[in-house]
């Protein structure tokens, strides 16, 4: 057991937390921007999928399929090396851009694919009759969407949105591979500075941070769902 | 800087990336072979509220879903050799821990994470089967085991199939992180080839193409199998 003491020191887990936690700011910033842009792009894709144009449908579905088949790490590097290379052709020099920009582009593209499906399935779960009924009592189509369709679709979309958020947060942990100093990047720097000793403790600290974060997100969305689904009566599946 | 793509490299490296496919598939298949039965059994403990196991699988699922796979890989890759070297030292086994093929670590990590995903898949699939089905099966004299094998599982499987397909595709994608354990899979092979002349764009395009081909084939295969499973299912209009 002496070996174990030399290599593994539980106190190290606790002590590395104050050093790691400030770097969550970067993780959150990158995730937050990706969520905002990704939701917007996802909305456009969902409209394309639900619209009448066959070509738009094909394009949006093709996009989702491709993104679903691409590992995040591959997409990350494709964007990191590919975007500046493409920009070169237009005479733009983007090689010195902040790494965070490439990370945000990558996860925007990925989150958009998730969101387009979340929005589409939420919209399709609302019966057409709801819209017709709303219009028949004199609401304008915009009012019908805003007051009747949207609130109902939101309840359906919430759990999936929450899952997408957790997935995004976790895929975001790969951003260190292109040199982003987020919480994972910082952890790797600490380990390198320690000559690779106590790596395990720091990884465990990282795992705990992520675990706690996703439990918080999960609980938050569970509460939110309860608030928004007041007045809704469905089969209880718990 | 802009000389366009190096097409000869692009084509050559495509085959280099392709040569990583067997390792990727081997890890995927082994992980699934371990995770499918284990996930199913643990799902049963959740549904039947088996005292300790139920609680264990809840925490297990929460942990795996709550932590990035790359960190799970880091943890396994840092801790298993440590534990093994202690074990080897104590029993005087003369094996160098660093000679162990990284594929063993890959088997551990990916079956660990896939089991958790499949627990949830099976749990939701089993809960869609009406309880009356089990009672009916028992009332005609089938044992619990027979009822599950002949009545419940075939029905639950149809529901679970699309989710198992998603889990498989995600597993294949996740193996691309095997490079962190120096696993000789698609990404690592293409990356090593790119290191020579800094042809990273080309290498990543190749990896991208290989994954798209691989995933499309897997999705197509699952679709065929799903159709076969559905052959007795009649949906009333």
């Amino acid at each position: 057991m002496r070996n174990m003491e030399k290599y593994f020191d539980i106190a190290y887990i606790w002590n590395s937390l104050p050093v790691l936690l400030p770097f969550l700011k970067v993780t959150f910033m990158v995730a937050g921007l990706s969520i905002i842009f990704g939701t917007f792009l996802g909305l456009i894709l969902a409209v394309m999928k639900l619209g009448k144009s066959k070509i738009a449908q094909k394009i949006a579905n093709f996009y989702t399929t491709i993104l679903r088949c691409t590992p995040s790490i591959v997409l990350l590097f494709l964007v990191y090396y590919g975007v500046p290379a493409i920009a070169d052709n237009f005479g733009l020099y983007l090689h010195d851009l902040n790494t965070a920009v490439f990370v945000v582009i990558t996860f925007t593209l990925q989150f958009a694919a998730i969101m387009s499906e979340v929005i589409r399935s939420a919209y399709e779960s609302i019966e057409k009759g709801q819209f017709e009924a709303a219009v028949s009592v004199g609401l304008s189509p915009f009012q019908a969407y805003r007051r009747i369709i949207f609130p109902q679709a939101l309840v359906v979309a919430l759990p999936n949105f929450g899952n997408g958020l957790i997935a995004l947060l976790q895929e975001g942990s790969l951003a260190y591979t292109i040199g982003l100093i987020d919480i994972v990047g910082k952890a790797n720097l600490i380990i390198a500075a320690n000559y690779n000793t106590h790596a395990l403790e720091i990884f465990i600290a990282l795992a705990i941070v992520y675990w706690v974060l996703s439990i918080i997100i999960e609980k938050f969305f569970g509460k939110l769902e309860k608030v928004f689904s007041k007045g809704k009566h469905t089969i209880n599946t718990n | 800087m802009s000389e366009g793509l190096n097409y000869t490299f692009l084509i050559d490296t495509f085959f280099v990336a392709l040569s990583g496919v067997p390792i990727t598939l081997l890890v995927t298949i082994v992980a699934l072979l371990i995770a499918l039965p284990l996930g199913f059994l643990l799902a049963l403990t959740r549904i039947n509220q088996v005292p300790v196991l139920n609680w264990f699988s809840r925490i297990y699922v929460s942990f795996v879903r709550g932590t990035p796979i790359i960190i799970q890989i880091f943890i396994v890759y840092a801790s298993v050799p440590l534990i093994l070297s202690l074990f080897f030292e104590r029993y005087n086994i003369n094996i160098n821990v660093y000679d162990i093929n990284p594929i063993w670590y890959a088997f551990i990590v990916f079956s660990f994470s896939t089991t958790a995903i499949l627990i949830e898949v099976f749990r939701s699939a089993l809960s869609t089967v009406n309880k009356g089905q089990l009672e009916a099966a028992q009332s005609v004299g089938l044992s619990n085991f027979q009822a599950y094998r002949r009545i419940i599982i075939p029905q639950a499987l149809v529901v679970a199939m699309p989710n198992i397909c998603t889990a498989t595709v995600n597993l294949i994608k996740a193996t691309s992180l095997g490079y962190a354990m120096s696993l000789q899979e698609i990404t690592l092979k293409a990356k090593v080839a790119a290191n020579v002349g800094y042809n990273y764009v080309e290498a990543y395009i190749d990896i991208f193409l290989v994954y798209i081909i691989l995933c499309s084939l897997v999705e197509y295969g699952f679709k065929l199998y799903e159709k076969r499973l559905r052959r007795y299912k009649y949906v009333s209009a």
Side-chain angles (χ1 to χ4, degrees):
Chain A
M1 265 342 240
R2 270 190 48 233
N3 249 330
M4 204 72 182
E5 279 160 31
K6 201 163 66 193
Y7 292 119
F8 190 82
D9 183 1
I10 278 208
Y12 226 90
I13 299 176
W14 183 246
N15 293 336
S16 59
L17 283 176
V19 191
L20 289 175
L21 284 176
F23 288 84
L24 263 184
K25 213 169 50 197
V26 182
T27 307
F28 284 154
M29 185 200 72
V30 168
L33 287 175
S34 310
I35 289 163
I36 295 168
F37 296 138
T39 307
F40 187 67
L41 184 58
L43 191 65
I44 295 173
L45 286 166
V47 170
M48 284 166 77
K49 282 178 190 172
L50 293 165
K52 292 213 169 62
S53 159
K54 279 267 179 300
I55 302 167
Q57 273 177 24
K58 279 244 160 62
I59 295 173
N61 284 329
F62 182 71
Y63 177 87
T64 315
T65 310
I66 296 290
L67 264 284
R68 207 176 33 217
C69 289
T70 318
S72 311
I73 189 139
V74 176
L75 192 66
L76 197 58
F77 276 91
L78 219 47
V79 168
Y80 184 59
Y81 290 113
V83 169
I86 294 170
D88 277 344
N89 295 329
F90 298 100
L92 284 166
Y93 189 78
L94 297 182
H95 296 269
D96 292 337
L97 226 55
N98 194 316
T99 342
V101 177
F102 298 109
V103 179
V104 171
I105 294 174
T106 306
F107 292 110
T108 296
L109 293 174
Q110 205 174 48
F111 199 61
I114 300 176
M115 279 314 287
S116 72
E117 283 298 286
V118 171
I119 296 170
R120 185 186 62 83
S121 62
Y123 178 81
E124 282 179 345
S125 73
I126 310 299
E127 275 176 75
K128 261 219 158 68
Q130 296 275 341
F131 179 76
E132 286 159 6
V135 174
S136 79
V137 295
L139 267 64
S140 73
F142 178 74
Q143 282 176 321
Y145 271 108
R146 203 179 67 80
R147 301 206 190 157
I148 311 293
I149 309 291
F150 183 71
Q152 294 185 69
L154 189 69
V155 180
V156 181
L158 266 178
N160 292 332
F161 183 73
N163 284 339
L165 218 69
I166 293 176
L168 175 79
L169 186 73
Q170 305 199 353
E171 303 286 298
S173 67
L174 295 171
Y176 84 96
T177 52
I178 62 166
L180 185 76
I181 312 296
D182 63 344
I183 189 165
V184 186
K186 181 64 187 172
N188 278 309
L189 286 181
I190 297 175
I191 291 162
N194 284 345
Y195 305 102
N196 290 333
T197 56
H198 299 292
L200 181 59
E201 292 90 326
I202 290 171
F203 291 142
I204 291 175
L206 266 186
I208 293 171
V209 172
Y210 272 99
W211 194 4
V212 170
L213 277 180
S214 16
I215 290 174
I216 293 172
I217 295 176
E218 218 166 275
K219 287 264 181 303
F220 176 73
F221 273 89
K223 284 253 153 57
L224 218 57
E225 211 188 323
K226 235 179 225 156
V227 173
F228 281 116
S229 51
K230 68 172 191 289
K232 191 181 176 189
H233 301 287
T234 49
I235 302 160
N236 189 1
T237 51
N238 290 320
Chain B
M1 181 72 201
S2 171
E3 306 101 15
L5 291 175
N6 179 347
Y7 288 102
T8 23
F9 182 83
L10 189 73
I11 292 163
D12 290 345
T13 312
F14 179 76
F15 293 101
V16 176
L18 214 55
S19 73
V21 171
I23 294 287
T24 297
L25 285 181
L26 180 66
V27 171
T28 306
I29 289 165
V30 170
L32 279 178
L33 284 179
I34 296 171
L36 281 167
L38 207 59
F40 182 74
L41 286 177
L42 287 172
L44 284 182
T45 68
R46 285 290 300 273
I47 286 179
N48 297 323
Q49 309 266 316
V50 180
V52 182
L53 284 174
N54 169 27
W55 172 82
F56 165 79
S57 59
R58 252 188 128 115
I59 292 182
Y60 176 34
V61 169
S62 159
F63 176 78
V64 171
R65 286 179 27 136
T67 52
I69 288 207
I70 188 78
I71 293 175
Q72 293 168 24
I73 289 176
F74 286 155
I75 289 179
V76 168
Y77 201 48
S79 66
V80 174
L82 216 64
I83 297 165
L84 277 183
S85 67
L86 270 177
F87 179 79
F88 289 164
E89 211 171 283
R90 173 163 300 176
Y91 296 98
N92 289 322
I93 300 169
N94 235 335
I95 303 173
N96 189 345
V97 182
Y98 298 98
D99 290 343
I100 294 174
N101 192 329
I103 202 161
W104 293 101
Y105 299 123
F107 290 158
I108 296 174
V109 175
F110 294 116
S111 43
F112 176 77
S113 64
T114 312
T115 302
I117 307 299
L118 290 182
I119 291 175
E120 288 298 281
V121 169
F122 285 128
R123 198 170 69 94
S124 66
L126 284 169
S127 65
T128 62
V129 180
N130 199 319
K131 211 175 170 160
Q133 297 274 340
L134 182 65
E135 286 160 2
Q138 284 166 338
S139 76
V140 294
L142 266 64
S143 72
N144 231 337
F145 178 75
Q146 283 175 321
Y148 265 97
R149 204 179 68 81
R150 300 203 189 161
I151 313 288
I152 310 290
I153 293 177
Q155 294 183 66
L157 211 54
V158 180
V159 181
M161 249 338 162
N163 290 331
I164 295 176
C165 175
T166 311
T168 309
V169 170
N170 283 339
L171 174 60
I172 291 177
K173 279 161 57 179
T175 58
S176 66
L177 299 177
Y179 81 91
M181 309 183 273
S182 31
L183 182 71
Q184 294 285 331
E185 44 68 60
I186 303 166
T187 317
L188 186 70
K189 286 203 163 181
K191 252 166 97 168
V192 168
N195 279 341
V196 184
Y198 296 102
N199 304 87
Y200 292 110
V201 182
E202 290 88 344
Y204 277 98
I205 289 174
D206 283 329
I207 302 169
F208 174 68
L209 291 175
V210 170
Y211 273 104
I212 287 173
I213 295 168
L214 201 58
C215 292
S216 314
L217 286 176
V218 169
E219 279 188 2
Y220 183 71
F222 268 98
K223 225 169 244 163
L224 285 185
Y225 190 59
E226 215 185 303
K227 224 180 232 164
R228 224 181 87 86
L229 281 176
R230 262 177 207 283
R231 75 209 133 145
Y232 297 121
K233 188 168 175 147
Y234 297 105
V235 180
S236 53

